[in-house]
Amino acid sequence: MYTSFWLGLLLMSVTGVCAEPQNFPAHTLTLAASCAVCHGTNGNSATGLLSLAGMDESVFIAKLQAYRNGSQASTVMHHHAKGLTEAEITALAGYFSVQQHQAIVEPQAQTLELQHE
Amino acid sequence: MQRRDFIKQLAATGLIGAPWFEAHAVPARKVQGRVVVIGAGYAGTTLAKYLRIWSGYGIEVVVVEQNTQFVSCPLSNLVLGGSRSINDLTFGYGLLQKHHGIQWVHDQVTHIDTAARKVTMSRGEMTYDRLVVAPGIDFNYSAWPEMQNAEAQRLVPHAWKAGPQTLNLRQQLESMPDGGVVVISIPKAPFRCPPGPYERTCQVAFYLKLHKPKSKVIVLDANPDIVSKKALFLSAWKELYPGIVDYRPNSTVLHVNPVTREVETEFERVKADVLNIIPPQRAGKPAQMAGLLNVDNNWCAVDFRSYASTISPEVHVLGDAVFSPQPKSAHIATSHAHVCANAIVAMMGGQEPDPEPVFANTCYSFVSDRMAVHVANVYRYDAEKKLMVTMDGGGLSDVPSDLEGTYAQSWARNIWSDALT
């Protein structure tokens, strides 16, 4: 399962092609998508706060390890870092490192229609 | 492929059976078939989007939704406090449809035939290879015959589905004289958004402290104790709203008079000026129609590797309707959608789903207009227990803070962008 993942990463680094989600195992896709709620789709945060897209793998891993062992104080991230395996942290680091910086599209707020149920 | 080509292609095709995949670069996991999704809340929108992306735009996705707008329950308690407008939390579905070639049917489901794999709506019917039911919650007023009509529910709003009911409760707070009593009734768990009633208490107290300081809010909780973030809410009530919040556990409302706004518990009668009854809940109506409520006749049991119903394996159930030990939150609903989307892509391609899915939940609650607190956990599938179990290391904020308030607002914008574009 991880062979295709690493092969995909290798291909991307050689060809410079942007990350196709299909190159990552379902397990990593689910986890990375779970991060999107705070960090934005593919790590591009709408508010610019806490973006992960394009973060160097070693930086990502070092941050998560620091949250895990408590050497880096945080409000929320220690609660997440401690629940993941080493392999998951490595896989997420690989995922976010190949995501391109993109401006996030936000839905436009509307006036509530009063027949809404 | 370019988005412009994608939109052109979409416009050129009919509603059902669009040959979408022809226009796409060859994806590694391309599979085909039709998935019908009932309900476009956090779970349904997220499932539809990720099913399209992760199938390389091979799977045809049709969403059936009765409302034309998405109104966010997260942040809707801030409308009561006054720091947010309901119009800040209301969005359309247009970008989601356009960006991902999702077919959209604005209609109400009237019948589901799981044997024939057919969904009937008020204006037509369609068949599916797989059905995803993301119906949210339905209110159960059976304990109070006096509440079973629209007028009673206008006088005594639930405001537990964001929208006109939220505005109604806000307007009642605005009309209440200073010195009035607001009563919030909380049902026995499980219900949508476990910390939500206590966050609401904070927001009502915030409004009262600012505008009607002689008033108070009485919380009648059917549970023996505060269900979520207990210490954080208790300290917020004590420090931020002294003398305003009166919390009463073990207080099940037995009778309601919607006209006089009086309620009766086993122990007492309480008269309110503004009465907010959050009713007991169960899986939403489409899940009831499909006969999927197999836990206490209220919730739907699923296989947590695919969210397939344990009754009907071609039907998946997502979000608040699912019976599980996890909180019924928006983040959890989107996580169900991610696991389910990956599983459907695998299963429709003749493969096994991820045997050990893992996801996270971060749930913020605002204790004032600016300060928030969180609970966050990682959940992992346990094959022996056949459940998502809580990993060590999760937990709560130490104290409420402005920083977490900023994170919570950012959370909202990111989840809206992820689910709706």
Side-chain angles (χ1 to χ4, degrees), chain B residues 80 173 182 184 200-209 217:
Chain B
L80 305 175
L173 291 173
V182 181
I184 300 175
R200 172 166 293 179
T201 303
C202 292
Q203 291 302 317
V204 168
F206 178 84
Y207 172 79
L208 297 178
K209 183 181 175 183
V217 50

Side-chain angles (χ1 to χ4, degrees), chain B residues 311-329:
Chain B
I311 292 182
S312 193
E314 282 96 27
V315 182
H316 303 253
V317 186
L318 305 179
D320 295 347
V322 168
F323 178 72
S324 91
Q326 277 77 54
K328 297 184 185 301
S329 78

Side-chain angles (χ1 to χ4, degrees), chain A residues 116-117, chain B residues 36-47 63-67 70 73 93 107-109 112 131-139 160-162 192 281-294 298-302 307 309 315-323 328 333 336-337 340:
Chain A
H116 184 97
E117 281 187 34
Chain B
V36 170
V37 184
I38 301 175
Y42 281 99
T45 52
T46 303
L47 182 278
V63 173
V64 186
E65 166 58 48
Q66 61 175 348
N67 283 306
F70 176 102
C73 273
Y93 293 110
D107 205 342
Q108 198 160 17
V109 174
I112 298 168
L131 178 68
V132 179
V133 183
I137 50 164
D138 180 33
F139 297 120
W160 214 241
K161 290 183 186 180
R192 163 178 283 181
Q281 296 151 35
R282 60 190 165 204
K285 289 204 169 65
Q288 297 170 30
M289 277 178 215
L292 302 171
L293 278 58
N294 54 349
N298 282 327
W299 308 107
C300 308
V302 298
Y307 291 82
S309 160
V315 182
H316 303 253
V317 186
L318 305 179
D320 295 347
V322 168
F323 178 72
K328 297 184 185 301
H336 290 177
C340 179

Side-chain angles (χ1 to χ4, degrees), chain B residues 104-412:
Chain B
W104 209 268
V105 180
H106 171 223
D107 205 342
Q108 198 160 17
V109 174
T110 54
H111 186 71
I112 298 168
D113 184 341
T114 53
R117 297 190 192 180
K118 193 171 79 177
V119 176
T120 307
M121 297 148 295
S122 29
R123 295 187 296 273
E125 57 180 44
M126 63 189 148
T127 56
Y128 58 81
D129 296 305
R130 284 187 177 272
L131 178 68
V132 179
V133 183
I137 50 164
D138 180 33
F139 297 120
N140 184 356
Y141 282 104
S142 60
W144 310 301
E146 57 277 29
M147 283 300 298
Q148 293 169 14
N149 62 80
E151 177 60 8
Q153 291 168 33
R154 189 186 62 77
L155 292 167
V156 181
H158 53 76
W160 214 241
K161 290 183 186 180
Q165 279 270 320
T166 316
L167 281 181
N168 173 348
L169 183 53
R170 166 73 192 178
Q171 283 155 3
Q172 291 202 27
L173 291 173
E174 286 172 358
S175 310
M176 186 183 84
D178 191 6
V181 173
V182 181
V183 172
I184 300 175
S185 155
I186 306 174
K188 279 214 168 68
F191 50 81
R192 163 178 283 181
C193 190
Y198 314 103
E199 179 193 57
R200 172 166 293 179
T201 303
C202 292
Q203 291 302 317
V204 168
F206 178 84
Y207 172 79
L208 297 178
K209 183 181 175 183
L210 210 61
H211 299 286
K212 282 153 195 176
K214 288 182 233 151
S215 313
K216 64 177 180 174
V217 50
I218 299 173
V219 182
L220 301 176
D221 194 340
N223 298 286
D225 207 341
I226 294 171
V227 172
S228 174
K229 302 175 184 167
K230 179 185 169 186
L232 290 163
F233 283 122
L234 281 178
S235 80
W237 296 343
K238 193 175 160 204
E239 284 161 32
L240 300 174
Y241 312 112
I244 297 181
V245 177
D246 177 347
Y247 176 76
R248 302 178 187 178
N250 292 311
S251 294
T252 302
V253 169
L254 302 175
H255 301 288
V256 185
N257 184 333
V259 178
T260 60
R261 294 190 172 88
E262 266 179 300
V263 293
E264 205 179 312
T265 69
E266 195 185 330
F267 312 107
E268 59 185 340
R269 287 183 137 198
V270 183
K271 177 150 177 23
D273 295 284
V274 175
L275 179 56
N276 169 216
I277 292 192
I278 303 166
Q281 296 151 35
R282 60 190 165 204
K285 289 204 169 65
Q288 297 170 30
M289 277 178 215
L292 302 171
L293 278 58
N294 54 349
V295 181
D296 303 335
N297 207 25
N298 282 327
W299 308 107
C300 308
V302 298
D303 181 330
F304 291 100
R305 293 165 299 183
S306 65
Y307 291 82
S309 160
T310 56
I311 292 182
S312 193
E314 282 96 27
V315 182
H316 303 253
V317 186
L318 305 179
D320 295 347
V322 168
F323 178 72
S324 91
Q326 277 77 54
K328 297 184 185 301
S329 78
H331 192 170
I332 292 277
T334 61
S335 291
H336 290 177
H338 298 136
V339 174
C340 179
N342 267 316
I344 288 178
V345 171
M347 290 155 92
M348 286 176 83
Q351 294 174 326
E352 289 292 312
D354 178 2
E356 193 195 79
V358 177
F359 57 70
N361 179 46
T362 305
C363 161
Y364 287 102
S365 304
F366 276 90
V367 299
S368 70
D369 56 340
R370 300 168 64 96
M371 285 196 289
V373 296
H374 79 266
V375 59
N377 282 289
V378 173
Y379 301 99
R380 183 179 301 276
Y381 185 70
D382 183 316
E384 230 163 77
K385 293 181 179 155
K386 294 192 160 73
L387 283 173
M388 296 299 291
V389 295
T390 309
M391 295 289 93
D392 288 341
L396 300 148
S397 308
D398 296 331
V399 288
S401 68
D402 283 9
L403 178 63
E404 289 212 49
T406 310
Y407 286 168
Q409 298 284 1
S410 183
W411 176 102

